[in-house]
Amino acid sequence: MLSRLLSVRIYNELFAEGDMPCLTEIRLRADKPLSYAQKGVYHRLQDVIVSMDDIAYTLGIASQHSMYAVNDSLSKGYLTCGEGYRIGVCGEGVIKNGALFTVKNITSLCIRVPHEVKGCCDKIVRLIEKAGNTLIVSPPGLGKTTMLRECVRLLSMAGHNVLVLDERGEIAPVSGGSCHVDIGDCCDVASGIPKIDAYRYLVRSMRPDIIATDEIFGKAEVDAVLDIVRCGVKVVATVHASGIEDIFKSEEYRGLGKLIDYYVVLRDIGEIGAIYDRTELKTCGR
Amino acid sequence: MWTLILGGVLFFCFAYVGIGIRSYYAKRRDIYRDSVSYIDYLKENIGFLKTPIGVLTRNFSKDRKGEFAKMLNKYVALIDKGCLSVESVNKMVASPYIDKERQELMSQFFYGLGKVDCDTQIEQLLRMRAALLPIAEHYDKKYRTTGVLAYRLGILLGIAVMIIAV
């Protein structure tokens, strides 16, 4: 995918020394050196200056030269392309009727490279099967989505009906009707549907045992998750935070504390730092 | 014997010229007619499903033949390669069956595809359809008059020359 997504010059420079294992991120900034992250560590190629043409090329490929098809996600600051690649987009906003309509003169792209790491979360899956609602917590870039994807695969393989609410097409990237990653046999994917709509309609229509969703953000989504839990459906989700303290400090997220059974906090890339259960948190006075 | 062969060759030459002229007008007509159909197809599919332009173009040209289908295949190849520059699009629309100024119109059309939001894209398609429809009708008329006339004339002249020669 990267060979298609990056211009020939950028691709050749980036892979000049052969394969790059554990490449997690590539950043293209106009008139600035190319930078990338490998195992969470950033590197800059000082001699390789990214041009606007390089950025336009990547945007063209990612959008399949069809801005009308991607404008909704572009106005939310990202693009998704096949195989689960997500591209963060930064440029000048265009406002229409008081809302962000699109982004023009794009000068920065952040390409997130997805990974499949099998067997990285057997422990979490056992927790979900045992008790239920689980929240994976970490700052960006530590592999929450990778871990969630593996949870989905294992739960689906175990015969649970898993509904993946994949608003940004990262957990189970689907294009042309087929999924690009292994998600097991009992998985349904709602891709590109805003989370709130998906919560509202699909819980009833698809009757899942477990719902998996990425990056809960804001009160509306927290309330939707709480509603699902009240319906008796188990939830496994991720949230951006540096630790569970951050979640409980926030007024918006505090509600999760009532219904989430386990909190899995990541310490390093793909590495579980701690697992807290609800009773443990209660004894700590949260 | 030789006069018969000569007559046959002369008939074939005149008929060939007539068929050639008719085919030229048919191809000119087909390019504009197909381009109007292409716009209608895009309009229907962009508005509802927002399918990317490459997928739509590939689907449209899949079972089609002719100059416009060839042009669309080149367009899809450019999309796949990610090199939709003005020069490459100009080169793509260059055809002996399209006048210079209309090549410019076609080039602008293809270059502008997929660059805007859904509503604006549909407006652009409607404008382009309005511009291409009269041209398609004009060349259809040309085909039915000049093209068919040239064909008939070619055949008749061929027969006449063959009779004279024999």
Side-chain angles (χ1 to χ4, degrees):
Chain A
M1 184 71 195
L2 280 175
S3 61
R4 261 178 56 71
L5 204 54
L6 298 171
S7 65
V8 177
R9 184 181 74 94
I10 295 290
Y11 182 82
N12 288 343
E13 294 283 3
L14 189 61
F15 292 92
E17 284 167 26
D19 209 16
M20 293 185 81
C22 301
L23 179 69
T24 51
E25 199 174 290
I26 302 163
R27 285 178 180 266
L28 307 179
R29 296 183 178 103
D31 304 324
K32 298 279 188 280
L34 173 66
S35 79
Y36 63 93
Q38 212 173 3
K39 290 181 184 169
V41 181
Y42 280 97
H43 305 272
R44 258 182 296 171
L45 298 176
Q46 293 292 352
D47 302 335
V48 186
I49 304 298
V50 175
S51 68
M52 281 299 271
D53 285 347
D54 295 320
I55 290 176
Y57 178 89
T58 300
L59 275 173
I61 293 290
S63 66
Q64 298 182 63
H65 293 277
S66 307
M67 292 312 275
Y68 61 82
V70 297
N71 196 41
D72 290 341
S73 67
L74 194 64
S75 61
K76 290 175 189 158
Y78 72 93
L79 287 173
T80 38
C81 37
E83 298 172 33
Y85 283 75
R86 187 177 83 181
I87 305 179
V89 171
C90 207
E92 294 171 34
V94 178
I95 306 292
K96 192 175 173 185
N97 301 328
L100 183 63
F101 175 62
T102 190
V103 182
K104 64 175 182 178
N105 298 334
I106 291 163
T107 50
S108 294
L109 299 179
C110 171
I111 304 170
R112 302 281 297 274
V113 182
H115 292 92
E116 265 186 280
V117 184
K118 291 189 174 169
C120 67
C121 54
D122 302 6
K123 210 172 168 182
I124 305 175
V125 168
R126 279 198 297 275
L127 292 179
I128 299 166
E129 284 185 317
K130 195 178 100 189
N133 311 310
T134 303
L135 197 63
I136 302 171
V137 182
S138 90
L142 292 192
K144 286 186 299 297
T145 307
T146 306
M147 207 159 260
L148 183 65
R149 189 182 297 129
E150 178 58 4
C151 284
V152 166
R153 188 183 73 85
L154 292 174
L155 289 165
S156 165
M157 298 271 277
H160 300 286
N161 291 317
V162 184
L163 173 62
V164 178
L165 304 184
D166 197 8
E167 186 177 355
R168 298 182 168 215
E170 284 186 290
I171 309 169
V174 176
S175 64
S178 58
C179 185
H180 294 284
V181 292
D182 180 8
I183 49 165
D185 302 328
C186 303
C187 195
D188 308 300
V189 182
S191 190
I193 303 175
K195 277 199 201 89
I196 306 291
D197 292 337
Y199 290 141
R200 197 173 298 154
Y201 304 118
L202 292 173
V203 172
R204 275 173 285 178
S205 62
M206 295 305 292
R207 208 198 60 73
D209 301 322
I210 300 164
I211 283 185
T213 189
D214 210 6
E215 294 177 16
I216 298 174
F217 187 84
K219 188 158 180 5
E221 288 189 11
V222 169
D223 289 345
V225 168
L226 296 178
D227 277 342
I228 292 168
V229 173
R230 270 193 285 271
C231 293
V233 180
K234 290 178 185 175
V235 172
V236 51
T238 70
V239 70
H240 277 162
S242 55
I244 49 171
E245 293 78 13
D246 289 353
I247 296 172
F248 289 100
K249 261 188 241 164
S250 158
E251 191 69 44
E252 290 179 345
Y253 293 88
R254 202 171 293 154
L256 288 171
K258 294 175 208 157
L259 295 166
I260 295 293
D261 299 301
Y262 287 102
Y263 297 84
V264 178
V265 182
L266 305 187
R267 183 177 50 200
D268 208 342
I269 293 182
E271 203 179 303
I272 299 170
I275 298 176
Y276 302 94
D277 75 17
R278 190 147 48 116
T279 51
E280 204 176 316
L281 293 172
K282 268 183 194 161
T283 57
C284 298
R286 288 191 180 101
Chain B
M1 178 66 186
W2 284 109
T3 49
L4 249 177
I5 293 170
L6 179 71
V9 168
L10 285 169
F11 170 75
F12 178 77
C13 290
F14 278 95
Y16 186 78
V17 170
I19 291 168
I21 294 171
R22 188 182 65 166
S23 156
Y24 173 76
Y25 280 101
K27 280 177 179 170
R28 268 163 80 127
R29 176 201 61 180
D30 289 348
I31 283 182
Y32 294 103
R33 206 172 53 179
D34 289 351
S35 62
V36 172
S37 307
Y38 176 61
I39 289 172
D40 288 339
Y41 180 77
L42 291 184
K43 199 157 49 73
E44 279 166 27
N45 286 282
I46 287 174
F48 184 52
L49 294 175
K50 296 187 181 178
T51 311
I53 209 82
V55 178
L56 291 178
T57 307
R58 198 173 282 121
N59 290 346
F60 181 83
S61 66
K62 200 163 59 185
D63 297 321
R64 284 173 190 261
K65 286 178 182 162
E67 293 299 310
F68 192 68
K70 280 183 204 163
M71 200 184 282
L72 292 182
N73 289 337
K74 287 182 199 166
Y75 181 57
V76 170
L78 289 179
I79 290 175
D80 288 345
K81 278 188 210 159
C83 45
L84 268 179
S85 62
V86 179
E87 294 79 29
S88 59
V89 174
N90 283 342
K91 209 171 149 192
M92 179 197 95
V93 298
S95 162
Y97 305 104
I98 307 176
D99 304 336
K100 263 270 181 281
E101 60 190 69
R102 279 163 191 160
Q103 277 184 24
E104 217 166 277
L105 183 74
M106 284 284 206
S107 178
Q108 279 171 9
F109 165 64
F110 279 109
Y111 189 69
L113 277 180
K115 298 254 186 318
V116 289
D117 70 290
C118 205
D119 295 341
T120 318
Q121 186 67 77
I122 288 169
E123 276 171 30
Q124 280 184 3
L125 288 172
L126 288 173
R127 273 203 301 275
M128 190 64 190
R129 191 185 193 281
L132 285 176
L133 195 60
I135 304 173
E137 283 167 355
H138 170 74
Y139 282 117
D140 185 43
K141 205 172 158 191
K142 274 262 189 196
Y143 166 77
R144 278 188 281 114
T145 53
T146 319
V148 173
L149 184 72
Y151 168 72
R152 282 179 188 159
L153 219 60
I155 299 284
L156 284 175
L157 271 173
I159 292 168
V161 170
M162 191 173 70
I163 290 167
I164 292 164
V166 174

